[in-house]
Amino acid sequence: MKSLEDFARAKLRRLDAAETRRSLVETARDGAVTVLRDGRSLVSFCCNDYLNMTQDPVVRRAAQAAIETYGTGAGASRLVTGNHPLYREFEARLARFKGTEAALVFGSGYLANISIVPALAGARDLVLADEYAHACLIAGARLSGATFRLFRHNDVGHLDEVLAETRPAHRHCLILTDRVFSMDGDLAPVPALAALARRHDAWLLTDDAHGAGLRPPDDPADVPLQMGTLSKALGSYGGYLCASAAVVGLLHSRARGFVYTTGLPPASVAAAAAALDLIEADPARCARPLAHARRFAEALRLPKPDSQIVPLVVGTPARALDLSARLAQRGYLVAAIRPPTVPPGTARLRFSFTAAHEPEQVLALAEAVRTVQAA
Ligand SMILES: *Cc1c(COP(=O)(O)O)cnc(C)c1O
């Protein structure tokens, strides 16, 4: 189809001009923190496998055993014939870990958010989200058909104003925020948000994609909707919601991304369960990523980080891409993050630290960053 080809090519030219075109680069994992790219070994500081669980022998064996027992796929929606025995145990385990009554797993974190929000809010309702909330929370809010407003990043005063103005005209209200912001690494002011939510009879959802396994869970009395992913510190694939039994029961019938999609593969569930065991058994492992982030920030005199994610805002996409390329020449894989993932003018390098990095690697990275920045 000529019109389709013309459309795609014109769009690509525009993305190229703005230096925001994305492309895939073949990159093989090669151990806990190293990758192979273009035949070279690089130390990766851009992976969300914060506890290196994807490479852990215990986690791998659990996934292999689940394949041997249950096969490679769920075969259907869990409501039809796809509810293999691992789910019940894992969901109970996850709920216990988070301190909630119940839990529900989804095919991914993205799928969880675009399913949860429309299941809980509709045309007569209000959805408010932090302006830096993850793209899938925003997508869920739009899909819901509710009135949707953004509040300024981590600005409880602004949220209060927006609530005062908009809450009375709506039936229910959902407040959405990342708990650890994915591109900035800062934390949401959860207790203050919870107090506000209570005052305005609003339901607070925190997205703990970058926190689960690395910091203690939110208090369920503050946060009735605790969402997260199995794909980051848990080293597997999938998403989840931890909530009350009634909310989870409702989602069994109403979350379209649960009802109308195939259940998670057994190996993914078993791997996440094994990772959860390792997390509970080894607090020292879980503390290492943040310690590395602080070591790195201190070496570069950056603000003290609250999480394992450290942004270095450099401005234009071209500058971020150039610094990333020069770090790769020195043996480091660091992602250049560009708009629309982050606001215009705030293109950045995003560093993420994992348990298996060594302090010397972190300090050497800081030195390399200093050098490429000066050049
Ligand atoms: C990664 C991420 C998601 C999506 O999770 P996946 O399991 O990768 O789909 C959702 N929210 C936030 C904040 C994330 O960083």
Side-chain angles (χ1 to χ4, degrees):
M1 286 297 289
K2 182 172 183 310
S3 57
L4 173 60
E5 293 305 301
D6 288 349
F7 165 75
R9 293 212 179 99
K11 280 272 188 192
L12 286 173
R13 273 195 300 276
R14 241 179 292 157
L15 290 170
D16 278 333
E19 296 191 84
T20 55
R21 179 169 175 177
R22 268 76 156 153
S23 54
L24 293 163
V25 185
E26 198 164 292
T27 311
R29 293 291 294 276
D30 179 33
V33 295
T34 50
V35 300
L36 291 174
R37 187 180 266 197
D38 296 333
R40 294 180 58 221
S41 176
L42 303 175
V43 183
S44 173
F45 288 95
C46 55
C47 197
N48 298 326
D49 186 12
Y50 301 122
L51 299 173
N52 320 94
M53 292 294 180
T54 71
Q55 311 296 311
D56 192 288
V58 173
V59 177
R60 286 178 193 240
R61 275 198 299 275
Q64 284 160 356
I67 290 174
E68 290 308 315
T69 309
Y70 299 110
T72 54
S77 165
R78 287 175 60 192
L79 294 167
V80 184
T81 56
N83 200 35
H84 62 72
L86 290 172
Y87 293 115
R88 180 173 44 77
E89 199 181 318
F90 179 66
E91 287 173 339
R93 181 96 177 58
L94 197 56
R96 211 161 52 238
F97 179 70
K98 292 277 187 171
T100 58
E101 280 178 6
L104 180 63
V105 292
F106 290 85
S108 74
Y110 195 105
L111 190 57
N113 277 335
I114 64 168
S115 305
I116 295 163
V117 181
L120 298 177
R124 295 158 60 198
D125 304 319
L126 175 65
V127 178
L128 305 176
D130 186 288
E131 64 181 331
Y132 291 177
H134 193 266
C136 56
L137 284 170
I138 308 293
R142 295 223 170 96
L143 266 178
S144 74
T147 303
F148 175 45
R149 294 274 299 268
L150 295 172
F151 58 91
R152 286 197 291 270
H153 176 55
N154 276 352
D155 188 337
V156 178
H158 185 229
L159 174 59
D160 198 9
E161 279 169 36
V162 175
L163 278 164
E165 187 187 314
T166 54
R167 177 73 185 91
H170 296 88
R171 181 183 57 172
H172 299 139
C173 174
L174 261 171
I175 298 173
L176 312 176
T177 185
D178 288 19
R179 186 163 173 242
V180 176
F181 284 85
S182 53
M183 296 301 138
D184 293 81
D186 56 342
L187 308 181
V190 173
L193 292 173
L196 210 52
R198 234 176 255 121
R199 188 138 54 75
H200 291 272
D201 185 27
W203 309 332
L204 179 59
L205 180 151
T206 56
D207 176 335
D208 203 19
H210 298 279
L214 298 166
R215 50 180 48 252
D218 280 327
D219 182 346
D222 277 350
V223 185
L225 301 164
Q226 303 195 28
M227 176 273 162
T229 178
L230 308 180
S231 321
K232 288 166 184 164
L234 272 67
S236 179
Y237 194 71
Y240 63 82
L241 178 71
C242 290
S244 70
V247 168
V248 167
L250 175 64
L251 292 194
H252 284 160
S253 293
R254 283 301 170 85
R256 298 177 69 83
F258 173 77
V259 175
Y260 297 107
T261 191
T262 302
L264 272 176
S268 299
V269 180
L276 214 48
D277 285 341
L278 293 173
I279 285 167
E280 289 192 321
D282 193 353
R285 179 176 184 165
C286 304
R288 282 174 64 96
L290 176 60
H292 286 322
R294 292 203 163 145
R295 186 170 285 122
F296 174 75
E298 194 174 46
L300 286 176
R301 299 213 170 78
L302 298 172
K304 186 176 177 182
D306 289 320
S307 76
Q308 71 286 0
I309 299 164
V310 180
L312 185 66
V313 175
V314 298
T316 63
R319 174 77 172 150
L321 290 170
D322 175 57
L323 290 172
S324 173
R326 283 191 291 137
L327 284 171
Q329 283 164 8
R330 290 169 181 269
Y332 300 104
L333 185 63
V334 177
I337 308 288
R338 294 168 281 163
T341 306
V342 291
T346 72
R348 66 196 64 188
L349 297 176
R350 174 187 183 269
F351 300 89
S352 63
F353 297 90
T354 76
H357 285 117
E358 293 300 335
E360 303 72 45
Q361 286 175 315
V362 171
L363 293 174
L365 170 70
E367 195 49 49
V369 170
R370 212 196 321 269
T371 308
V372 298
Q373 265 192 307

